[in-house]
Amino acid sequence: SAVISQKPSRDICQRGTSLTIQCQVDSQVTMMFWYRQQPGQSLTLIATANQGSEATYESGFVIDKFPISRPNLTFSTLTVSNMSPEDSSIYLCSVENRALDLRPRAFFGQGTRLTVV
Amino acid sequence: QKEVEQDPGPLSVPEGAIVSLNCTYSNSAFQYFMWYRQYSRKGPELLMYTYSSGNKEDGRFTAQVDKSSKYISLFIRDSQPSDSATYLCAMMQTGANNLFFGTGTRLTVIP
């Protein structure tokens, strides 16, 4: 299993500012993902964090708005830039290690509850 | 049309009841089928995982996949108050990265 520590757990931010969310895993994992969960909506994949290279973004998400870093196999950050109230959501980190566990998205962090005012 | 459809509920049942949760989907290429449980203010927890079709049982939980009808189910037997949570279905194609989630069904088990 993998234990994920996601920080901060919640924050209230002013519009126009940026927030960086950290995801730390207690073991090396092959894949790390960032999701957004808005009230009443499905979890939506923002991007796949690639170690040592640029993240792969899904349709509707761009690097300028959601820059992602993944410096090693246990850590990633997601930044929500130039925030507006529409960015208020829960942001979740998810990991998998298909070499050891065939289950996709087997583990999720606790989430970061972001409110933009 | 959404990739995955799930009735949001809410669903309230008495303790001990059998619960049936369902999702339908449109993409016949989906091969991975998952059910997650999410407690309030927590991240999703993978509950059941099925590859391709068939049934899978784990304790009080049974997952069923009917690919001909594009329909998956999660059954909870002898439901407990601790089962009160939101249940999310999710599915994915082989070789893809994007896991498509339902919107979740909120379940309350009343003691």
Side-chain angles (χ1 to χ4, degrees), chain B residues 69-86:
Chain B
S69 302
K70 298 192 183 71
Y71 187 89
I72 69 170
S73 302
L74 177 70
F75 297 96
I76 307 174
R77 292 184 298 281
D78 186 25
S79 56
Q80 302 295 309
S82 58
D83 295 327
S84 298
T86 296

Side-chain angles (χ1 to χ4, degrees), chain B residues 2 5 11 13 16-17 19 22 41 57 77 80-81 97-98 101 103 105-106 108 111:
Chain B
K2 285 184 181 179
E5 299 277 0
L11 181 63
V13 300
V19 176
N22 310 294
R41 301 185 181 277
E57 189 172 317
R77 292 184 298 281
Q80 302 295 309
N97 253 355
N98 205 347
F101 284 84
T103 52
T105 300
R106 180 179 287 185
T108 301

